[in-house]
Amino acid sequence: MPNTGTVVSSVAHVAVLAYAVVGFSSAKPYEPTMESVAVEVLTPSEFDALTKGDRNSKKVADTPKVAAKKVEPVEAEPKPALPEKKENVEATQPPPEPKPPEPAPPEPKKAEAPPPPPEPKPEPKPEPPKQAEAPPPPEPKPAPKQAEAPKPPEKKPEPKKEDPIQKVLDRKPEPKKPERKPEKPQPKFDPTKIASLIDKRDPGRTPQAAAQASDVTTAGVSRGTASQLQLTRSSMLGNMIREQLYNCWNPPVGTEGMRDLMATIEFNLTQQGVLVGQPRLQSSSSNPAFQAFADSAMRAVHSCTQTSRPLRLPPEDYNLWQNVTLDFILPET
Amino acid sequence: MEAAAPVIDMSLWGLFMQAHFVVKFVMVGLILSSVWCWAIIIDKYMLYARTRRNMDRFEKVFWSGQSLEELYRNLAPRQTTSMPALFIAAMREWKRSFEGGSKAVASLQMRIEKVLDVTIQREIERLEGRLLVLATVGSAGPFIGLFGTVWGIMTSFQSIAASKNTSLAVVAPGIAEALFATAIGLFAAIPATIFYNKFSAEVAKQASRLEGFADEFSAILSRQIDERTG
């Protein structure tokens, strides 16, 4: 009787195992999902011509801009746009004079609508800088304007108060309005604070120069039309050598982020890109990790300059890369 | 240092052959215990079905009004189990007490009850036999499988550390092979646990049925004794 169970059980297990071995003979591999990566192919000269953008900037412009207050005189022609820059102290003298007539129209409006008050505000700003250099006449002008400006607002709240106080619950917003308006003009025509409005920046300063004046540094360029930089043959060769050697380079574990480590290595190459003699370490450091770091760089030079894997460099420039001195620095991550 | 991962046989047989010998041992042990468990399950299932049918038929005959002497004469030569075994044991004791004119009836009632008790114990033992194997496999199987898995993962991590390559393609086969041990452990333990619970309930039911019959039969015999001696 126990035989029945044993036999049945054994047979069943053998059958299940046989099925499993056949059925699970090969694991079904996952469908390989290819992630598409946008790649832009750049020639070495294009790559070297890339301008550095500002990482924090959100703005992408058609042409790259670097924050600059001053136009580089060599390349750029004087542009009519420049005089509009208010920071340019010398150029802005004439424009403020025609402006004073403009504040006049707001006066009749004040009786009707509150918006005018903002208008006089921006105008006083350009004027104080003038005060430093320009004749005193402008000074009295802003004063009467501002004196007039606060008064009409005071009148307006009064008729309003009668209705809202009865209808609306909040008394607070209304008292504030008259307070605010007088406050704002005050700093402007307070003669003691005039000094604070003067451009205190060193007149002899050298503003950052660029081909084009711009307030911001752009994040990048929507079209790759960077201003062309001079690409020298040797800098291109340097990039080619660095790119190939860095691919063979395994920096030692633990040196990540130690960007102050630098191993300068000099070595000679044959015309085929094969190492001649021994690479020579030209730098030293007190950093305890330096030895391992330098050894890894030496290994990289060795492993990438073998006959089986030579450095691929343009043979016509052999005289430029016959003797190579390269600084190994951990790449920025 | 060959960077390329070797082609890995992912079939079950391949997984088994790649495993560490401890894991292999665990796997083989678990498969054998699974075979054993199922052998017991099949045997017990058949035994309980047979016992139930046997009891049903005997009760039908017993309560059909047939004389006990005649029933005893029918059943005595056969090898009996469960209820008929109880009946035979009690009847044999009864017969012996009245054989050859000897009137050893003073404590006959006590002797019959003792004989019934012993027979019930023997029957329950027969029903329960080897059920403990199921309980053991059911509770220890997953742990044994887990042990194989832990061992396998341990060795695969050691080889990862040795090869200094942590790509998933290198890590995965070792872990798959190790998890296979837990799979076999569960494969053996789950049916063992289920059938252990089912069978222990069945044994309790049949034991109470035997005890019920024993009580009734000893009551009948007790009345007979009193009638004969009285």
Side-chain angles (χ1 to χ4, degrees), chain A residues 1-10 12-14 16-17 20-21 24-27, chain B residues 9-13 31 34-40 42-43 46-47 50 126 130 187:
Chain A
M1 272 195 302
N3 290 337
T4 327
T6 314
V7 168
V8 171
S9 165
S10 307
H13 275 82
V14 168
V16 167
L17 280 180
V21 167
F24 295 98
S25 59
S26 61
Chain B
D9 184 6
M10 286 303 290
S11 68
L12 284 191
W13 183 249
I31 289 176
S34 173
V35 172
W36 192 13
C37 279
W38 276 100
I40 293 170
I42 293 167
D43 276 348
M46 283 159 48
L47 172 67
R50 210 165 47 230
R126 199 174 55 89
R130 297 198 293 164
F187 177 77

Side-chain angles (χ1 to χ4, degrees), chain A residues 11-320:
Chain A
V11 168
H13 275 82
V14 168
V16 167
L17 280 180
Y19 173 77
V21 167
V22 173
F24 295 98
S25 59
S26 61
K28 191 178 155 200
Y30 290 116
E31 290 286 320
T33 52
M34 298 299 286
E35 225 172 276
S36 65
V37 177
V39 173
E40 201 172 336
V41 179
L42 296 178
T43 65
S45 56
E46 278 173 342
F47 183 78
D48 275 8
L50 287 178
T51 51
K52 189 175 182 181
D54 184 357
R55 190 176 291 186
N56 299 321
S57 179
K58 298 279 194 297
K59 203 171 168 184
V60 174
D62 285 350
T63 55
K65 283 177 184 170
V66 177
K69 308 296 184 200
K70 192 175 137 193
V71 171
E72 213 167 29
V74 185
E75 289 179 23
E77 303 157 10
K79 285 168 189 172
L82 255 187
E84 287 168 14
K85 287 279 158 191
K86 285 167 187 172
E87 286 133 62
N88 205 333
V89 178
E90 296 147 35
T92 44
Q93 274 181 354
E97 286 174 12
K99 278 175 187 170
E102 288 172 19
E107 286 177 15
K109 285 173 195 167
K110 281 168 197 165
E112 297 162 15
E119 283 179 22
K121 285 171 199 164
E123 281 148 12
K125 282 177 190 168
E127 282 158 7
K130 284 174 239 155
Q131 289 161 3
E133 299 159 62
E139 279 177 34
K141 279 176 189 171
K145 277 174 232 157
Q146 286 149 352
E148 286 164 14
K151 281 171 192 169
E154 281 174 6
K155 286 170 193 168
K156 279 174 239 160
E158 283 169 9
K160 280 174 191 169
K161 273 174 191 169
E162 293 170 15
D163 298 330
I165 287 175
Q166 294 160 353
K167 293 169 188 175
V168 188
L169 295 171
D170 294 331
R171 292 174 215 159
K172 289 170 187 175
E174 284 148 15
K176 274 180 188 171
K177 280 175 193 168
E179 283 168 21
R180 273 183 210 156
K181 283 165 189 170
E183 274 173 16
K184 283 172 191 169
Q186 272 169 9
K188 283 166 197 162
F189 66 97
D190 184 352
T192 61
K193 288 179 184 171
I194 284 172
S196 69
L197 300 170
I198 296 171
D199 191 353
K200 286 174 194 151
R201 284 176 293 182
D202 178 14
R205 72 192 193 276
T206 52
Q208 197 179 352
Q212 210 177 342
S214 168
D215 289 340
V216 291
T217 298
T218 53
V221 186
S222 62
R223 288 178 292 128
T225 54
S227 56
Q228 197 75 12
L229 298 178
Q230 192 61 38
L231 171 68
T232 62
R233 204 70 190 149
S234 57
S235 78
M236 194 186 80
L237 284 171
N239 285 346
M240 290 175 79
I241 296 171
R242 187 172 292 113
E243 191 189 340
Q244 292 182 45
L245 286 180
Y246 275 31
N247 278 341
C248 319
W249 186 27
N250 256 328
V253 178
T255 58
E256 294 88 353
M258 299 171 81
R259 301 210 66 222
D260 54 331
L261 280 174
M262 187 182 84
T264 307
I265 293 177
E266 189 187 351
F267 53 96
N268 294 326
L269 295 168
T270 68
Q271 204 139 11
Q272 283 74 39
V274 178
L275 184 68
V276 177
Q278 287 295 317
R280 296 171 294 283
L281 180 64
Q282 305 286 19
S283 62
S284 61
S285 163
S286 59
N287 192 321
F290 177 75
Q291 196 52 47
F293 181 82
D295 286 348
S296 74
M298 298 281 255
R299 276 197 300 277
V301 172
H302 269 293
S303 64
C304 255
T305 53
Q306 298 301 307
T307 38
S308 55
R309 190 183 179 183
L311 281 182
R312 286 182 299 278
L313 298 168
E316 63 270 19
D317 294 320
Y318 177 60
N319 58 334
L320 289 176

Side-chain angles (χ1 to χ4, degrees), chain B residues 23 147-160 174-179:
Chain B
V23 183
F147 169 69
T149 297
V150 169
W151 192 276
I153 288 181
M154 216 169 74
T155 53
S156 70
F157 271 122
Q158 279 170 350
S159 47
I160 288 165
I175 291 175
E177 149 215 312
L179 287 176

